[in-house]
Amino acid sequence: MKVLPATMGLLVLTTALAGSAIAANAAPARGPGWTGLTNPQDVITARQALMEHIEELMEPIDTIQVSDTVDAEKLHAAAEPIAAMLLAVPHLFPPTTNRYDPKVLMPVTLALPWIWKDFGSFYTLAAASARAAEVMATAQGKEPLRVASRQLRASCDACHTLYLRKYNPPKVQDSDYQFDFDSALRKQ
Ligand code: HEC
């Protein structure tokens, strides 16, 4: 058998890989249920609403880092739905929702394009976060609950650090200090 020259072998391989990448990225035929195609903005709204509610449920879980009392039942009741919600999270990121615009002050989505460059890692981080919530939902005892709470929050931060646009608080400018409050107030 004649051995292919190395460059030719590489060419065959890259062509094959390109073919499979195209197949993987091929958009599904339009049809009922492909909401990523028909309603991408609704998908973005849904994942943002989900995240906001996860954040609300996190309140008692975060609080035990600084409070003396730990109500295990209440914490389990908050962590259980968080785990279920986090299982849904990665499925709300079809490529049609890669719409982050860095030039806009209030972008329609804060999800960075890296998500779709490295979807495997994104998917893994979502699963890890869901698992951390499950641990929180069953942990017993003050210290184990505190540890689980820290790890759950760390799992949110791990994903946000990589894939969520950083929040840039408005910076205080020198001109702010020199602002003439007296005359501004007098004008009113
Ligand atoms: C696998 C990645 C990932 C994990 C894990 C994750 N998030 Fe998020 N989160 C995102 C992305 C991406 C967005 C931006 C969504 C958008 O704007 O489209 C977001 C947005 C948010 C927002 C802002 C929602 C808004 O109003 O736009 C909050 C609050 C939030 N996440 C809380 C949490 C909390 C709390 C956890 C952990 C319990 C968590 N997230 C876990 C990826 C993640």
Side-chain angles (χ1 to χ4, degrees):
M1 196 188 103
K2 205 172 155 243
V3 179
L4 283 175
T7 44
M8 188 112 133
L10 195 64
L11 187 70
V12 171
L13 184 70
T14 36
T15 316
L17 284 178
S20 65
I22 289 166
N25 282 329
R30 254 173 197 275
W34 290 114
T35 52
L37 284 179
T38 55
N39 307 60
Q41 187 51 54
D42 289 352
V43 176
I44 291 173
T45 307
R47 73 191 181 206
Q48 290 174 341
L50 203 63
M51 283 290 172
E52 270 165 34
H53 282 273
I54 292 176
E55 185 67 49
E56 276 170 30
L57 287 164
M58 282 297 287
E59 209 250 310
I61 294 171
D62 285 332
T63 305
I64 62 168
Q65 294 302 330
V66 290
S67 96
D68 268 345
T69 52
V70 164
D71 179 347
E73 221 168 284
K74 189 172 157 197
L75 296 167
H76 292 168
E80 220 172 77
I82 294 178
M85 290 154 105
L86 284 167
L87 284 181
V89 159
H91 306 289
L92 293 172
F93 288 83
T96 45
T97 60
N98 180 2
R99 297 197 166 184
Y100 174 65
D101 182 350
K103 294 189 288 295
V104 174
L105 190 63
M106 301 278 288
V108 289
T109 174
L110 300 179
L112 296 177
W114 313 123
I115 292 173
W116 294 274
K117 291 231 158 59
D118 190 14
F119 200 76
S121 303
F122 180 76
Y123 204 86
T124 304
L125 284 172
S129 194
R131 265 197 310 279
E134 275 163 24
V135 170
M136 180 83 222
T138 50
Q140 296 289 351
K142 213 174 188 172
E143 223 17 62
L145 278 162
R146 284 228 170 91
V147 172
S149 137
R150 254 199 314 278
Q151 287 180 346
L152 177 54
R153 179 48 84 177
S155 76
C156 318
D157 295 345
C159 188
H160 291 167
T161 304
L162 289 173
Y163 300 117
L164 182 71
R165 185 195 69 173
K166 304 232 169 347
Y167 173 67
N168 292 320
K171 288 204 184 68
V172 178
Q173 315 274 327
D174 271 353
S175 56
D176 293 339
Y177 292 117
Q178 289 149 14
F179 184 74
D180 185 355
F181 285 100
D182 285 344
S183 60
L185 290 172
R186 233 176 287 128
K187 272 191 210 125
Q188 289 184 353

